[in-house]
Amino acid sequence: MEEIKVYKLENEFLKVELLNLGATIKKLEVKDKNGNFRNVVLGFDDIEKYKENPAYFGAVIGRTAGRIKNAELKIGDKVYSLDSNNNGNTLHGGKNSISHRFWTVERIENGLVFSIDSPHLDNGYPANVEIKVSYILNKNELEVRYFAKADSLTYLNLTNHSYFNLSGNPENTIYEDILKINSDYLVGIDENSIPSETIALDNNIFDFRKSKKLKDFFMATDIQKTIANEGIDHPFIFNEKIGRLEIENLESGIKMSVETDNPAVVIYTGNYLQDIGFKKHSAICFETQEVPNLYLNPSFIDENKAYERYTKFIFVQ
């Protein structure tokens, strides 16, 4: 029977603990303004809880079909029902997903490579896939690189699902954090969290093109905020080919930049963390990924086109 193992990476700037279950970031310690290390990601003290809890803190997940549900995925002359595919799908959420599977781990210079393939996934996906995710420490940044290949045409969209609390105290909310993101548009959602429309951010409470305290957002009202249980759970489309955002906690002095070659990021403000024993809005998640627009412009890979993406979490003082 496989067991959860903890793998460590560290240098003078960062300390990281990762699990072979879901290629999960369990802990990420960063120096604060006083030179003390603080853990800035939310997670469980008991690693066994990662097996049973559907929140999959810090795991790599596959955003099946860009979060589109109750629809059909057309690949060549075949049609797949996303409902039935998701129920048994091993790339998205649920007990059979890659976030709840054991990965093979290999050490490389300054990092770790996690890998998994379809025979170890009981794959319900339209193709057989091989996935590798590398975590590399480079001074004050943690770089995550995603690589995958398939044996036939399929849709793939990988991201990391870490929850950041830059104060280092899970009892604190993110209200005092300052967020900035270079994005003119987000994708609106309906009551079922299905992407529904593209929304311009001019005169909108979701506009973070200029640095803004998250408290200002939470004090405002908007139908999209109400739908997301009084928070953010929306894809922001980056304005540039290399997307960037910044978030800072003034109390700790820890500032994190996110850089990615993904075209979008789903920002989630922990709107349901209270359901699993944490405080609501006590952390924020940045799921860098494809724009969830499968219904408009699907992104496919096949045996002749490898999937490669990267995301960097960069910490500055």
Side-chain angles (χ1 to χ4, degrees), residues 9-11 14 16 18 25 28 106-114 133-146 310-315:
L9 296 172
E10 64 178 272
N11 60 23
L14 304 175
V16 185
L18 302 114
I25 299 175
L28 203 171
E106 175 188 357
R107 288 199 174 269
I108 58 174
E109 185 177 2
N110 299 326
L112 293 164
V113 178
F114 293 77
V133 178
S134 300
Y135 292 100
I136 300 169
L137 279 191
N138 183 18
K139 293 186 178 180
N140 62 329
E141 70 180 37
L142 176 64
E143 180 178 5
V144 188
R145 287 202 164 267
Y146 307 91
Y310 82 88
T311 296
K312 294 180 180 181
F313 301 105
I314 306 166
F315 297 90

mmCIF file of all heavy atoms in Angstrom, residues 9-11 14 16 18 25 28 106-114 133-146 310-315:
data_model
loop_
_atom_site.group_PDB
_atom_site.id
_atom_site.type_symbol
_atom_site.label_atom_id
_atom_site.label_comp_id
_atom_site.label_asym_id
_atom_site.label_seq_id
_atom_site.Cartn_x
_atom_site.Cartn_y
_atom_site.Cartn_z
ATOM 1 N N LEU A 9 12.612 20.893 -0.115
ATOM 2 C CA LEU A 9 13.543 21.726 -0.873
ATOM 3 C C LEU A 9 13.766 22.993 -0.061
ATOM 4 O O LEU A 9 12.818 23.544 0.511
ATOM 5 C CB LEU A 9 12.961 22.107 -2.237
ATOM 6 C CG LEU A 9 12.678 21.002 -3.248
ATOM 7 C CD1 LEU A 9 11.936 21.574 -4.452
ATOM 8 C CD2 LEU A 9 13.980 20.342 -3.697
ATOM 9 N N GLU A 10 14.988 23.474 0.005
ATOM 10 C CA GLU A 10 15.204 24.724 0.727
ATOM 11 C C GLU A 10 16.506 25.386 0.322
ATOM 12 O O GLU A 10 17.457 24.737 -0.138
ATOM 13 C CB GLU A 10 15.185 24.500 2.241
ATOM 14 C CG GLU A 10 16.278 23.622 2.804
ATOM 15 C CD GLU A 10 16.151 23.529 4.329
ATOM 16 O OE1 GLU A 10 16.733 24.400 5.011
ATOM 17 O OE2 GLU A 10 15.482 22.606 4.816
ATOM 18 N N ASN A 11 16.504 26.703 0.444
ATOM 19 C CA ASN A 11 17.721 27.495 0.311
ATOM 20 C C ASN A 11 17.630 28.627 1.329
ATOM 21 O O ASN A 11 16.812 28.570 2.248
ATOM 22 C CB ASN A 11 17.897 28.010 -1.137
ATOM 23 C CG ASN A 11 16.738 28.893 -1.591
ATOM 24 O OD1 ASN A 11 16.020 29.479 -0.786
ATOM 25 N ND2 ASN A 11 16.549 29.007 -2.903
ATOM 26 N N LEU A 14 13.879 30.333 0.736
ATOM 27 C CA LEU A 14 12.614 29.599 0.765
ATOM 28 C C LEU A 14 12.802 28.196 1.325
ATOM 29 O O LEU A 14 13.854 27.578 1.154
ATOM 30 C CB LEU A 14 12.028 29.473 -0.654
ATOM 31 C CG LEU A 14 11.775 30.746 -1.456
ATOM 32 C CD1 LEU A 14 11.322 30.389 -2.866
ATOM 33 C CD2 LEU A 14 10.739 31.626 -0.774
ATOM 34 N N VAL A 16 10.433 24.597 1.242
ATOM 35 C CA VAL A 16 9.223 24.014 0.664
ATOM 36 C C VAL A 16 9.105 22.557 1.080
ATOM 37 O O VAL A 16 10.093 21.816 1.075
ATOM 38 C CB VAL A 16 9.237 24.111 -0.881
ATOM 39 C CG1 VAL A 16 7.909 23.619 -1.459
ATOM 40 C CG2 VAL A 16 9.516 25.538 -1.326
ATOM 41 N N LEU A 18 6.788 19.177 -0.007
ATOM 42 C CA LEU A 18 5.879 18.677 -1.025
ATOM 43 C C LEU A 18 5.515 17.232 -0.732
ATOM 44 O O LEU A 18 6.297 16.499 -0.113
ATOM 45 C CB LEU A 18 6.519 18.791 -2.415
ATOM 46 C CG LEU A 18 6.936 20.214 -2.809
ATOM 47 C CD1 LEU A 18 8.442 20.302 -2.935
ATOM 48 C CD2 LEU A 18 6.283 20.626 -4.111
ATOM 49 N N ILE A 25 1.986 21.013 -2.788
ATOM 50 C CA ILE A 25 2.763 21.928 -1.951
ATOM 51 C C ILE A 25 2.113 21.942 -0.572
ATOM 52 O O ILE A 25 1.023 22.493 -0.388
ATOM 53 C CB ILE A 25 2.787 23.349 -2.522
ATOM 54 C CG1 ILE A 25 3.428 23.365 -3.910
ATOM 55 C CG2 ILE A 25 3.547 24.295 -1.584
ATOM 56 C CD1 ILE A 25 3.378 24.722 -4.590
ATOM 57 N N LEU A 28 5.157 26.261 2.414
ATOM 58 C CA LEU A 28 6.087 27.140 1.716
ATOM 59 C C LEU A 28 6.460 28.257 2.687
ATOM 60 O O LEU A 28 5.649 29.120 2.998
ATOM 61 C CB LEU A 28 5.450 27.708 0.451
ATOM 62 C CG LEU A 28 6.383 28.189 -0.671
ATOM 63 C CD1 LEU A 28 5.580 28.519 -1.922
ATOM 64 C CD2 LEU A 28 7.208 29.391 -0.260
ATOM 65 N N GLU A 106 11.250 12.284 -8.524
ATOM 66 C CA GLU A 106 12.676 12.221 -8.880
ATOM 67 C C GLU A 106 13.329 13.544 -8.519
ATOM 68 O O GLU A 106 12.775 14.616 -8.786
ATOM 69 C CB GLU A 106 12.824 11.952 -10.379
ATOM 70 C CG GLU A 106 14.253 11.978 -10.880
ATOM 71 C CD GLU A 106 14.343 11.911 -12.401
ATOM 72 O OE1 GLU A 106 13.289 11.790 -13.051
ATOM 73 O OE2 GLU A 106 15.472 12.005 -12.929
ATOM 74 N N ARG A 107 14.504 13.470 -7.903
ATOM 75 C CA ARG A 107 15.238 14.692 -7.566
ATOM 76 C C ARG A 107 16.063 15.160 -8.758
ATOM 77 O O ARG A 107 16.688 14.374 -9.452
ATOM 78 C CB ARG A 107 16.143 14.460 -6.357
ATOM 79 C CG ARG A 107 15.369 14.321 -5.050
ATOM 80 C CD ARG A 107 16.241 14.563 -3.827
ATOM 81 N NE ARG A 107 15.437 14.548 -2.603
ATOM 82 C CZ ARG A 107 14.883 15.626 -2.078
ATOM 83 N NH1 ARG A 107 15.057 16.805 -2.655
ATOM 84 N NH2 ARG A 107 14.159 15.542 -0.973
ATOM 85 N N ILE A 108 16.048 16.468 -8.984
ATOM 86 C CA ILE A 108 16.893 17.102 -9.976
ATOM 87 C C ILE A 108 17.635 18.245 -9.289
ATOM 88 O O ILE A 108 17.401 18.520 -8.107
ATOM 89 C CB ILE A 108 16.064 17.650 -11.158
ATOM 90 C CG1 ILE A 108 15.008 18.654 -10.650
ATOM 91 C CG2 ILE A 108 15.405 16.517 -11.934
ATOM 92 C CD1 ILE A 108 14.242 19.352 -11.752
ATOM 93 N N GLU A 109 18.515 18.922 -9.996
ATOM 94 C CA GLU A 109 19.257 20.024 -9.403
ATOM 95 C C GLU A 109 18.290 21.129 -8.973
ATOM 96 O O GLU A 109 17.504 21.630 -9.779
ATOM 97 C CB GLU A 109 20.274 20.589 -10.397
ATOM 98 C CG GLU A 109 21.158 21.669 -9.801
ATOM 99 C CD GLU A 109 22.213 22.164 -10.779
ATOM 100 O OE1 GLU A 109 22.215 21.681 -11.933
ATOM 101 O OE2 GLU A 109 23.017 23.030 -10.376
ATOM 102 N N ASN A 110 18.321 21.468 -7.700
ATOM 103 C CA ASN A 110 17.494 22.522 -7.112
ATOM 104 C C ASN A 110 15.993 22.238 -7.189
ATOM 105 O O ASN A 110 15.182 23.155 -7.075
ATOM 106 C CB ASN A 110 17.762 23.878 -7.785
ATOM 107 C CG ASN A 110 19.189 24.331 -7.627
ATOM 108 O OD1 ASN A 110 19.825 24.068 -6.607
ATOM 109 N ND2 ASN A 110 19.713 24.988 -8.645
ATOM 110 N N GLY A 111 15.628 20.958 -7.380
ATOM 111 C CA GLY A 111 14.202 20.721 -7.493
ATOM 112 C C GLY A 111 13.780 19.269 -7.455
ATOM 113 O O GLY A 111 14.570 18.363 -7.151
ATOM 114 N N LEU A 112 12.491 19.072 -7.750
ATOM 115 C CA LEU A 112 11.866 17.753 -7.779
ATOM 116 C C LEU A 112 10.977 17.660 -9.013
ATOM 117 O O LEU A 112 10.366 18.650 -9.434
ATOM 118 C CB LEU A 112 11.000 17.528 -6.541
ATOM 119 C CG LEU A 112 11.699 17.423 -5.185
ATOM 120 C CD1 LEU A 112 10.685 17.596 -4.059
ATOM 121 C CD2 LEU A 112 12.400 16.073 -5.043
ATOM 122 N N VAL A 113 10.903 16.466 -9.585
ATOM 123 C CA VAL A 113 10.007 16.205 -10.703
ATOM 124 C C VAL A 113 8.984 15.161 -10.270
ATOM 125 O O VAL A 113 9.354 14.074 -9.824
ATOM 126 C CB VAL A 113 10.760 15.699 -11.947
ATOM 127 C CG1 VAL A 113 9.771 15.400 -13.076
ATOM 128 C CG2 VAL A 113 11.788 16.718 -12.411
ATOM 129 N N PHE A 114 7.709 15.492 -10.391
ATOM 130 C CA PHE A 114 6.620 14.574 -10.095
ATOM 131 C C PHE A 114 6.019 14.100 -11.422
ATOM 132 O O PHE A 114 5.778 14.918 -12.316
ATOM 133 C CB PHE A 114 5.534 15.273 -9.271
ATOM 134 C CG PHE A 114 5.969 15.647 -7.885
ATOM 135 C CD1 PHE A 114 6.778 16.751 -7.657
ATOM 136 C CD2 PHE A 114 5.568 14.892 -6.792
ATOM 137 C CE1 PHE A 114 7.178 17.109 -6.383
ATOM 138 C CE2 PHE A 114 5.959 15.235 -5.500
ATOM 139 C CZ PHE A 114 6.767 16.333 -5.296
ATOM 140 N N VAL A 133 5.421 17.317 -13.589
ATOM 141 C CA VAL A 133 5.397 18.643 -12.976
ATOM 142 C C VAL A 133 6.687 18.825 -12.198
ATOM 143 O O VAL A 133 7.012 18.012 -11.330
ATOM 144 C CB VAL A 133 4.191 18.808 -12.037
ATOM 145 C CG1 VAL A 133 4.208 20.179 -11.383
ATOM 146 C CG2 VAL A 133 2.884 18.599 -12.801
ATOM 147 N N SER A 134 7.432 19.872 -12.514
ATOM 148 C CA SER A 134 8.703 20.150 -11.845
ATOM 149 C C SER A 134 8.551 21.336 -10.910
ATOM 150 O O SER A 134 7.953 22.355 -11.273
ATOM 151 C CB SER A 134 9.798 20.462 -12.872
ATOM 152 O OG SER A 134 10.003 19.377 -13.741
ATOM 153 N N TYR A 135 9.092 21.201 -9.700
ATOM 154 C CA TYR A 135 9.199 22.305 -8.752
ATOM 155 C C TYR A 135 10.677 22.625 -8.603
ATOM 156 O O TYR A 135 11.461 21.766 -8.199
ATOM 157 C CB TYR A 135 8.614 21.921 -7.392
ATOM 158 C CG TYR A 135 7.118 21.726 -7.376
ATOM 159 C CD1 TYR A 135 6.556 20.463 -7.425
ATOM 160 C CD2 TYR A 135 6.264 22.831 -7.300
ATOM 161 C CE1 TYR A 135 5.177 20.283 -7.393
ATOM 162 C CE2 TYR A 135 4.890 22.659 -7.271
ATOM 163 C CZ TYR A 135 4.354 21.389 -7.321
ATOM 164 O OH TYR A 135 2.991 21.215 -7.297
ATOM 165 N N ILE A 136 11.059 23.867 -8.913
ATOM 166 C CA ILE A 136 12.466 24.258 -8.896
ATOM 167 C C ILE A 136 12.630 25.515 -8.046
ATOM 168 O O ILE A 136 11.916 26.510 -8.233
ATOM 169 C CB ILE A 136 12.972 24.524 -10.332
ATOM 170 C CG1 ILE A 136 12.816 23.263 -11.191
ATOM 171 C CG2 ILE A 136 14.431 24.968 -10.309
ATOM 172 C CD1 ILE A 136 13.036 23.497 -12.656
ATOM 173 N N LEU A 137 13.572 25.464 -7.104
ATOM 174 C CA LEU A 137 13.905 26.636 -6.293
ATOM 175 C C LEU A 137 15.043 27.403 -6.952
ATOM 176 O O LEU A 137 16.097 26.843 -7.237
ATOM 177 C CB LEU A 137 14.347 26.212 -4.889
ATOM 178 C CG LEU A 137 13.293 25.878 -3.840
ATOM 179 C CD1 LEU A 137 13.957 25.755 -2.476
ATOM 180 C CD2 LEU A 137 12.201 26.910 -3.784
ATOM 181 N N ASN A 138 14.829 28.663 -7.186
ATOM 182 C CA ASN A 138 15.860 29.521 -7.763
ATOM 183 C C ASN A 138 15.888 30.814 -6.966
ATOM 184 O O ASN A 138 15.107 31.727 -7.201
ATOM 185 C CB ASN A 138 15.577 29.796 -9.240
ATOM 186 C CG ASN A 138 16.658 30.634 -9.894
ATOM 187 O OD1 ASN A 138 17.774 30.746 -9.387
ATOM 188 N ND2 ASN A 138 16.318 31.240 -11.011
ATOM 189 N N LYS A 139 16.783 30.850 -5.954
ATOM 190 C CA LYS A 139 16.867 31.977 -5.030
ATOM 191 C C LYS A 139 15.509 32.230 -4.384
ATOM 192 O O LYS A 139 15.022 31.415 -3.626
ATOM 193 C CB LYS A 139 17.417 33.220 -5.744
ATOM 194 C CG LYS A 139 18.872 33.073 -6.169
ATOM 195 C CD LYS A 139 19.425 34.361 -6.742
ATOM 196 C CE LYS A 139 20.895 34.215 -7.110
ATOM 197 N NZ LYS A 139 21.449 35.461 -7.681
ATOM 198 N N ASN A 140 14.860 33.346 -4.708
ATOM 199 C CA ASN A 140 13.625 33.718 -4.023
ATOM 200 C C ASN A 140 12.374 33.340 -4.803
ATOM 201 O O ASN A 140 11.308 33.908 -4.579
ATOM 202 C CB ASN A 140 13.611 35.227 -3.761
ATOM 203 C CG ASN A 140 13.643 36.037 -5.050
ATOM 204 O OD1 ASN A 140 14.222 35.604 -6.043
ATOM 205 N ND2 ASN A 140 13.047 37.206 -5.029
ATOM 206 N N GLU A 141 12.471 32.382 -5.733
ATOM 207 C CA GLU A 141 11.299 31.997 -6.499
ATOM 208 C C GLU A 141 11.123 30.482 -6.538
ATOM 209 O O GLU A 141 12.099 29.722 -6.531
ATOM 210 C CB GLU A 141 11.350 32.546 -7.925
ATOM 211 C CG GLU A 141 12.402 31.888 -8.798
ATOM 212 C CD GLU A 141 12.428 32.453 -10.209
ATOM 213 O OE1 GLU A 141 12.218 33.674 -10.372
ATOM 214 O OE2 GLU A 141 12.658 31.673 -11.152
ATOM 215 N N LEU A 142 9.868 30.079 -6.542
ATOM 216 C CA LEU A 142 9.511 28.686 -6.758
ATOM 217 C C LEU A 142 8.878 28.608 -8.141
ATOM 218 O O LEU A 142 7.816 29.177 -8.383
ATOM 219 C CB LEU A 142 8.525 28.185 -5.695
ATOM 220 C CG LEU A 142 8.006 26.753 -5.891
ATOM 221 C CD1 LEU A 142 9.139 25.742 -5.788
ATOM 222 C CD2 LEU A 142 6.909 26.438 -4.879
ATOM 223 N N GLU A 143 9.543 27.900 -9.041
ATOM 224 C CA GLU A 143 9.037 27.761 -10.407
ATOM 225 C C GLU A 143 8.365 26.404 -10.562
ATOM 226 O O GLU A 143 8.918 25.377 -10.178
ATOM 227 C CB GLU A 143 10.169 27.898 -11.418
ATOM 228 C CG GLU A 143 9.704 27.758 -12.862
ATOM 229 C CD GLU A 143 10.833 27.956 -13.866
ATOM 230 O OE1 GLU A 143 11.998 28.112 -13.432
ATOM 231 O OE2 GLU A 143 10.556 27.950 -15.068
ATOM 232 N N VAL A 144 7.160 26.423 -11.118
ATOM 233 C CA VAL A 144 6.420 25.195 -11.389
ATOM 234 C C VAL A 144 6.322 25.043 -12.899
ATOM 235 O O VAL A 144 5.808 25.942 -13.588
ATOM 236 C CB VAL A 144 5.007 25.239 -10.782
ATOM 237 C CG1 VAL A 144 4.331 23.874 -10.913
ATOM 238 C CG2 VAL A 144 5.053 25.670 -9.324
ATOM 239 N N ARG A 145 6.832 23.920 -13.408
ATOM 240 C CA ARG A 145 6.770 23.666 -14.849
ATOM 241 C C ARG A 145 5.905 22.446 -15.112
ATOM 242 O O ARG A 145 6.077 21.409 -14.489
ATOM 243 C CB ARG A 145 8.164 23.463 -15.439
ATOM 244 C CG ARG A 145 8.967 24.743 -15.523
ATOM 245 C CD ARG A 145 10.098 24.666 -16.554
ATOM 246 N NE ARG A 145 10.599 25.996 -16.888
ATOM 247 C CZ ARG A 145 10.149 26.725 -17.905
ATOM 248 N NH1 ARG A 145 9.205 26.235 -18.683
ATOM 249 N NH2 ARG A 145 10.634 27.918 -18.154
ATOM 250 N N TYR A 146 4.986 22.582 -16.057
ATOM 251 C CA TYR A 146 4.066 21.514 -16.412
ATOM 252 C C TYR A 146 4.421 20.990 -17.803
ATOM 253 O O TYR A 146 4.617 21.768 -18.742
ATOM 254 C CB TYR A 146 2.630 22.024 -16.447
ATOM 255 C CG TYR A 146 2.186 22.730 -15.187
ATOM 256 C CD1 TYR A 146 2.339 24.109 -15.038
ATOM 257 C CD2 TYR A 146 1.602 22.033 -14.133
ATOM 258 C CE1 TYR A 146 1.934 24.762 -13.892
ATOM 259 C CE2 TYR A 146 1.189 22.673 -12.977
ATOM 260 C CZ TYR A 146 1.358 24.040 -12.870
ATOM 261 O OH TYR A 146 0.951 24.685 -11.732
ATOM 262 N N TYR A 310 4.392 27.180 -17.621
ATOM 263 C CA TYR A 310 5.122 27.418 -16.373
ATOM 264 C C TYR A 310 4.423 28.502 -15.563
ATOM 265 O O TYR A 310 3.712 29.355 -16.091
ATOM 266 C CB TYR A 310 6.575 27.826 -16.654
ATOM 267 C CG TYR A 310 6.766 29.286 -16.985
ATOM 268 C CD1 TYR A 310 6.964 30.241 -15.984
ATOM 269 C CD2 TYR A 310 6.737 29.734 -18.307
ATOM 270 C CE1 TYR A 310 7.126 31.589 -16.287
ATOM 271 C CE2 TYR A 310 6.903 31.068 -18.623
ATOM 272 C CZ TYR A 310 7.088 31.998 -17.611
ATOM 273 O OH TYR A 310 7.237 33.324 -17.907
ATOM 274 N N THR A 311 4.648 28.452 -14.257
ATOM 275 C CA THR A 311 4.209 29.505 -13.344
ATOM 276 C C THR A 311 5.310 29.703 -12.299
ATOM 277 O O THR A 311 5.829 28.728 -11.756
ATOM 278 C CB THR A 311 2.897 29.130 -12.634
ATOM 279 O OG1 THR A 311 1.860 29.020 -13.611
ATOM 280 C CG2 THR A 311 2.506 30.187 -11.611
ATOM 281 N N LYS A 312 5.649 30.950 -12.030
ATOM 282 C CA LYS A 312 6.640 31.273 -11.010
ATOM 283 C C LYS A 312 5.978 32.030 -9.863
ATOM 284 O O LYS A 312 5.200 32.969 -10.099
ATOM 285 C CB LYS A 312 7.771 32.133 -11.579
ATOM 286 C CG LYS A 312 8.628 31.438 -12.614
ATOM 287 C CD LYS A 312 9.722 32.390 -13.114
ATOM 288 C CE LYS A 312 10.604 31.725 -14.152
ATOM 289 N NZ LYS A 312 11.680 32.636 -14.631
ATOM 290 N N PHE A 313 6.283 31.619 -8.640
ATOM 291 C CA PHE A 313 5.895 32.352 -7.445
ATOM 292 C C PHE A 313 7.162 33.014 -6.915
ATOM 293 O O PHE A 313 8.069 32.346 -6.419
ATOM 294 C CB PHE A 313 5.282 31.413 -6.400
ATOM 295 C CG PHE A 313 4.066 30.680 -6.893
ATOM 296 C CD1 PHE A 313 4.130 29.337 -7.223
ATOM 297 C CD2 PHE A 313 2.857 31.340 -7.020
ATOM 298 C CE1 PHE A 313 3.008 28.660 -7.670
ATOM 299 C CE2 PHE A 313 1.717 30.672 -7.469
ATOM 300 C CZ PHE A 313 1.808 29.331 -7.797
ATOM 301 N N ILE A 314 7.233 34.337 -7.034
ATOM 302 C CA ILE A 314 8.443 35.099 -6.742
ATOM 303 C C ILE A 314 8.206 35.955 -5.500
ATOM 304 O O ILE A 314 7.238 36.735 -5.451
ATOM 305 C CB ILE A 314 8.830 35.986 -7.938
ATOM 306 C CG1 ILE A 314 8.937 35.139 -9.216
ATOM 307 C CG2 ILE A 314 10.141 36.720 -7.676
ATOM 308 C CD1 ILE A 314 8.984 35.961 -10.487
ATOM 309 N N PHE A 315 9.090 35.845 -4.529
ATOM 310 C CA PHE A 315 8.920 36.552 -3.261
ATOM 311 C C PHE A 315 9.974 37.647 -3.129
ATOM 312 O O PHE A 315 11.166 37.394 -3.269
ATOM 313 C CB PHE A 315 9.014 35.574 -2.094
ATOM 314 C CG PHE A 315 7.912 34.529 -2.117
ATOM 315 C CD1 PHE A 315 8.091 33.337 -2.791
ATOM 316 C CD2 PHE A 315 6.706 34.786 -1.496
ATOM 317 C CE1 PHE A 315 7.077 32.396 -2.836
ATOM 318 C CE2 PHE A 315 5.681 33.849 -1.533
ATOM 319 C CZ PHE A 315 5.871 32.649 -2.205
#
